[in-house]
Every structure is written in structure tokens, then in C-alpha cells.
Amino acid sequence: MTAVAPPRTATPARRKPRLMARAPQDTPAGFWTYLFLAVTLLFAAFPLYWMFVIATSNDEALAKLPPAIIPGDRFMTNVDEVFSLQDVYFAASLVNSVIVSTVVTASVLFFCSLAGFAFAKLRFKGSSALMLFVVLTLTVPNQLGIVALYIVMGKLGWNGTLLAVIAPGLVTAFGVFYMRQFIVNTVPDELVESARMDGATTMRVYANIVLPAIRPALAVLGLLTFVATWNDFQWPLITLSGTDFPTSMVAVSDLASGNYVIYRRVLAGAFIATVPLLVMLFIGGRQIVRGIMEGAVKS
Amino acid sequence: MSTTRAAPASSSHRSAPRRGRSGGDDRRLTWRNRLYRFDMRYMPYLMIAPFFLLFIVFGLFPLLFNAVVSLRNYRLDDPTLPYWAGFANFSKLVGDEDFWNALYNTFGIFLLSSVPQLLLALVVASLLNRRLRAQTWWRVGVLLPYVTPIVASTMVFSVFFSRDFGMANWVLGLFGLGGPDDPIDWRADKLHSWIAVATMVNWKWIGYNALLYLAAMQSIPRDVYEAAAIDGAGPWKQLWRITVPMIQPVVLFTVILSTIGGLQLFTEPMLFDPNAQAATGGPNGEWQTIAQLIYKVGWKDLNLGYAAAMSWALFLIILIVAGINYVLTNRLSGGRK
């Protein structure tokens, strides 16, 4: 599309300056680039593939050399065992993970886009100071307050319930920051102003103008939030372990506890808990890639 | 009455609905006026309120309250102790061998994971920064580890790094290292367990960091490369002399991110241990990290006050290390012109 500009420094050299002068992103990838990328991809995918291999095998697959690399035929047997283990609550855990991730994602999308809109397009006292606060909290690792969070949840009586896992995730500073950036760049001031002139309230502007315009950003933030919430382990482990109400990550770790760990079960459970995310990556991969790359340039 | 009221707020008058009917309805007008003023003045605060309320209650308050807890005797198994502990938790920390051991492990694993992670990410990014067929799919592909739950991948790597039939030892055996006669016990000593845990961290984050670098690489002006090519710089030289200095802000960003994440490492060391519930990171704490020790002290030994003190120590350590890394990276990546 963008035609390569002819070399202005007119040295009609023999060493093909036109090719040399290309930026990397304009240079077609050669054999070695594809080869190295293919190897990279192999490394990225192999543990996932192998998880499936063991999830479909019997115990012997793990006790031989060279290691098994072809899937077996016992997937359903292993899955049955995982679901029927008494104190793991695997089926319930999948439902719980869906509930937690869905509620958290919906809440993050709503509250963060609302706040992002206010910071991007509305004038109010203290808005820049408050936005600075949001940016500063981006870097605070809130895992460090985990002890006090446990005490707070204890006072509320929420420990051991899904509420304890959901509540801390309902909003994120990153979400507000990301939404604000996107709205600043994509929603024209004039559009907001003219809607105002027509007597639209702020919420109506949000619903009728902002929301339709930021659908791509909602998709990105939604996918990133869902993945992060689904995969969260430390806090759910602390507040939910030992209950009959774990998330799927806690349930998978329960599969691996005990004196004698049966890895074909563990990996069958792990595989089931991973599949939803692989599906999301397959469907929304483009959005996830874009979200990560946009976040990089802006921050 | 209504006219005098409406007069100063002429702007609101203009934007009041012009739907024709009920123009003369005074009550309606004042109501709408009020609504309008409320909407302009207070609605923005209402819109940001949920974020701030939730964030303060579940994010900021716990962080600050942690400081109070760290000064208290907060044992879940012994509520009879005096309320305040003063700085007893902190002075205990200084002499706690477990803490120093965990700190040592955390730094060891951090070094083995962050440096290769970011260097390899740079290489992958420069590979992705070519004109590729099916470009999107390569980028999605390197994100496979990023979406995979750490819990799931750690289980796989735990099997890879088993002593007798592990994939890692088998592969090393192909190159004449270790081998089935003299297999490496990856859980027996610090260095090997650190390598195993660091491998998991590297696997997870290389693709993600590569995309961050790629984004920055693509915003480098093209004529910079033109000049370099005319100077005769090859691709490798271009990467180190042009690309890295040009994407330095993102490099700094990833260094800070991996410092914050790496020093709080929890899931990988936790589940690498076959006896994960104990949270000891190996029989003798070979790979127990600070985050893991905080979990053990708080929820296995039930000493929340001491765990809170440790969290604060970790917070300080993260601040210091992030600062040092910032300065170091700044020098290394920008200084070589």
C-alpha cells in the first residue's frame, strides 16, 4: 500500500539501496524468520498439546521413555474421574468460574467505561487530580494488601463465598485508564456537545453516543479482564480453599494435592479449565493482540 | 417567578427541550432546569463514584490497613495476645532465616526469569516485525501461553521436570547431559529448582512482552532505518543500535512490570511442589518465594500480623528493586549510541 519511496540520496549503488533502506516492517520475512517463528510457536504450543496427550492417556504414558507424544483414547475416562471426585467439586467450580468471570467482566466494562467517559469528556472540579490518582494506582500491586483484604472480608462475612472473589475485581484502574484514552481519541467533542444542545442528559450521551463508539475497546477490555479473572489463583485459593465452592483454578490445584497425585486426572482437569480460554483466543485473538499492543504504545 | 429564575441560566434555557409542546409549563421548566444543573454539576462525580468507592474499599484500604495489622498481634489461633505488638513483627523479620532464604530464592528466580524473558521477547518481536504472511495468526500464536492459566501450565511443567520420566531430562539426555542413568533431580537443590520455576515464568511471558515491543517497534519512523542502512548497519546491529534505544520507554515499562510481577511470584513455585498445601517450596524451602512464605505464615501458621509485616517488607523491596532496575535499564538501553 505505502509505496517504498525511491532513495533520495541519489547514489545509484549496485548494492540495491532500495531493498536495504527498508524498515524491518516493510521487509518481507525470509526463510529463517519463518523458521524461527515456527520454532517459537512450537515451544509456545507444546505444553498445551502435551497437557492434552496426558489427559487422554493411562498412567503408563507417564512412566516410559521416550515420553508419549501421541494422544491416547482415554479422555472421557479421565474426565469422568475428575468430575466424580468427591471433595474437588469440579463441575461446580467451572460454574463458579463462569459466574465470577462474567460478573467481574460486566462490572469492569460498565463502571470503567462510565468513569472513563467522565474523565475524557466531562468538565468537573478535581478531574485532573482524580485522574492522576487513577494513574498512580496503576502501579500499586494490590496483592500486597491481601492479608488485610482477608480480614476485611472476614468482617463482612464474605470469606469462603464467591462475593469475596468478585468484589475486589469489580473495577480496575487499568480499565478506567484504557477507556479514557480510547474515548478521548474516538469520540469527537462536537458530537457530545450537539447531543447536549438537543437536550440529551449525560447518561443518554453515554448510552447513545459513547457506548456504540467504544465497542471495540469494550471487546478488548472484556477479553483481557475475563482471561485475568478466570486465571486468578492466589486470592481465590486463600478465601475459597477448603470450601465446597472453589473456582476452577482452585479445583485443579486440589486435584494435585494428596500423597499420590494422578497426573492424567490433574491434566485432564487443567485441560478442561483451559479450553474456554483457548476458544476465546481463537475467536477474539485479534482483539486481545490489539489490546496488548495499544496498551503498550499509550502507557 | 419562573421567568426570574430562568433568566440567569440562559444557557440551560437554550438547551431545554424544544419539542414544541408544554413550552409555557412553568413547573416543568424549573424541574428540567434543576435536572439539567444536577446533570452538569454532579453527574460526573456520580459516574466516577463506583470506581473510587470500590477501589478504596477493596484496594486502597486493605493496603493501608495492612500497616495497622503489621503492628498488631493478629494470630487466628490465639486471640488472647495483647492487641498491639509494636514493631515486634518487624524485628522478628530481621532475624527470620526463612525470610532471608525466601528473599534469596525470589531474587534468584527473578534473575533467571526476567533477563532471558525480556531478551528473548526482543528477539521474537524483531522476528514478528517483518512483513509476514498471516501476520495476525503469528501474533495470536505467541499469546497461547499468555491466556493459559498458570495453574494449568505449572502442572504440565511439573511433569516435564520430574526426575525419572520427565521430558526435560529426556531432552537433556539426547544432548548427553544427565540422561536416564544420572537424571537431574529438579526438586533437590536451589539452582535446579530455580531453573525449573524460571522456565515456567519465561514460557508464560515472552510472547506478551514481545507484543509490547512489537507495538513500539512499529511506531519507529521509517527514515531512521533508511539512514542506518545507508550507513551499512546489518539487521543485528540495527536491532541493538536503533531499535532498542528507540523503544526504550517500553523496555523500561516491561522491566518495571516484570520486577513487580517477578518479586511477587506465587503460583509457579507453589504448584511445582508435589506437597503444595504446605507452601514450603520444597522440603527445605529450596524454591520458596516471599509471596509463598507470606501465604504460609498467614494461612498455615495463622499469624496474620507477621504476614502483614512481611507484605510491607516485600512492598519496600519491590520499590527499591524497581528503582534500581529503572536506572540500570535506562543506562544500558539508551547509553549505547
Side-chain angles (χ1 to χ4, degrees), chain A residues 20 24-27 29 34 43-44 50 62 66 111 117 124-125 133 140-141 143-144 148 151 202 231 277 293 296, chain B residues 39 44-45 47 50 52 62-63 66 74 129 131 133 141 147 149 159-160 165 167 170 203 212 215 222 229 264 315:
Chain A
M20 294 280 295
Q25 59 262 47
D26 300 324
T27 315
Y34 280 112
F43 272 105
W50 204 66
L62 277 175
F111 289 133
F117 169 46
F124 55 99
K125 251 186 211 159
F133 177 81
V140 176
Q143 254 191 54
L144 296 175
I151 295 172
T202 310
N231 290 349
L277 301 180
M293 289 180 65
Chain B
D39 193 47
Y45 295 105
M47 293 168 93
F52 281 95
L63 206 62
N66 220 23
Y74 210 119
N129 193 25
R131 219 174 67 213
R133 283 163 203 278
V147 299
V159 187
F160 275 170
F165 297 100
M167 185 83 70
W170 180 72
W203 179 79
L212 296 183
R222 286 173 159 79
Q264 294 184 87
F315 185 47

Side-chain angles (χ1 to χ4, degrees), chain B residues 1 15 38 48 70 91 136 190 256 288-289 302 313:
Chain B
M1 199 51 201
S15 61
F38 175 84
I48 60 171
S70 70
S91 51
T136 307
K190 280 193 186 295
I256 300 299
Q288 186 185 48
T289 60
L302 304 177

Side-chain angles (χ1 to χ4, degrees), chain B residues 73-81 92 301-305:
Chain B
N73 285 309
Y74 210 119
R75 294 195 63 106
L76 292 173
D77 55 347
D78 186 3
T80 60
L81 291 166
K92 184 178 171 188
D301 307 345
L302 304 177
N303 192 348
L304 288 182

Side-chain angles (χ1 to χ4, degrees), chain A residues 124-140:
Chain A
F124 55 99
K125 251 186 211 159
S127 79
S128 51
L130 288 169
M131 190 60 214
L132 183 69
F133 177 81
V134 172
V135 172
L136 285 180
T137 56
L138 271 176
T139 52
V140 176

Side-chain angles (χ1 to χ4, degrees), chain B residues 70-145:
Chain B
S70 70
L71 298 174
R72 281 178 56 182
N73 285 309
Y74 210 119
R75 294 195 63 106
L76 292 173
D77 55 347
D78 186 3
T80 60
L81 291 166
Y83 192 85
W84 292 107
F87 286 94
N89 286 323
F90 287 97
S91 51
K92 184 178 171 188
L93 194 66
V94 179
D96 188 345
E97 272 179 36
D98 284 355
F99 177 73
W100 294 108
N101 174 57
L103 189 64
Y104 181 52
N105 292 339
T106 307
F107 275 116
I109 295 170
F110 172 62
L111 273 183
L112 289 175
S113 58
S114 59
V115 177
Q117 180 193 134
L118 298 182
L119 288 178
L120 285 170
L122 207 55
V123 173
V124 172
S126 60
L127 292 174
L128 287 171
N129 193 25
R130 296 279 160 143
R131 219 174 67 213
L132 290 163
R133 283 163 203 278
Q135 187 192 55
T136 307
W137 287 107
W138 291 108
R139 293 177 184 178
V140 171
V142 299
L143 278 188
L144 274 171

